[in-house]
Amino acid sequence: MKLILAVVQDKDTNRLMDALREGNYKTTKLSSTGGFLKEGNTTLMIGCDDQDVDEALDIIRNNCSQREQMVAPISPMGGNADSYIPRPIEVEVGGATVFVLPVESFFQF
């Protein structure tokens, strides 16, 4: 048995959870924050049998898209902030960060 931890952008969460539900994967949703943009994201805990890992990863891959987003850079710490003119930059966001962990035992009470 494996535990899949998938950290996905909030915008992809509902679509991914619907697809996982259609594939009969039971999922636990944890709200989380972090990363470069300090935006909300979601960590999904997905338990599955060893032979189902590749299918679950395909579902995650197909429902978590990477996209470009314009963001304003953070002002410099220290120095003269009056001369700092923030210009939006384009960064790549989305996708999924996935960990597959072995499960020694599983209990459901």
Side-chain angles (χ1 to χ4, degrees):
M1 179 165 232
K2 300 289 187 208
L3 174 64
I4 299 173
L5 295 177
V7 181
V8 301
Q9 193 173 37
D10 281 343
K11 292 177 183 176
D12 295 326
T13 301
N14 289 334
R15 180 177 57 250
L16 176 57
M17 288 190 67
D18 289 344
L20 288 167
R21 193 174 307 113
E22 287 175 15
N24 292 319
Y25 291 96
K26 294 183 180 176
T27 305
T28 299
K29 175 183 170 184
L30 304 172
S31 296
S32 52
T33 57
F36 172 68
L37 299 176
K38 305 280 191 274
E39 290 185 353
N41 53 40
T42 301
T43 301
L44 298 177
M45 295 173 39
I46 308 156
C48 65
D49 292 323
D50 290 351
Q51 67 269 15
D52 296 327
V53 170
D54 289 336
E55 181 182 341
L57 292 175
D58 286 340
I59 292 171
I60 296 167
R61 185 179 298 110
N62 293 331
N63 287 279
C64 296
S65 58
Q66 291 186 335
R67 56 195 156 273
E68 300 291 320
Q69 179 175 321
M70 297 297 286
V71 296
I74 300 170
S75 62
M77 300 297 287
N80 187 354
D82 293 334
S83 64
Y84 176 72
I85 302 172
R87 295 183 190 189
I89 57 173
E90 196 169 57
V91 297
E92 192 172 275
V93 297
T97 301
V98 181
F99 303 90
V100 179
L101 308 168
V103 174
E104 187 173 316
S105 58
F106 167 73
F107 304 97
Q108 191 169 16
F109 302 107

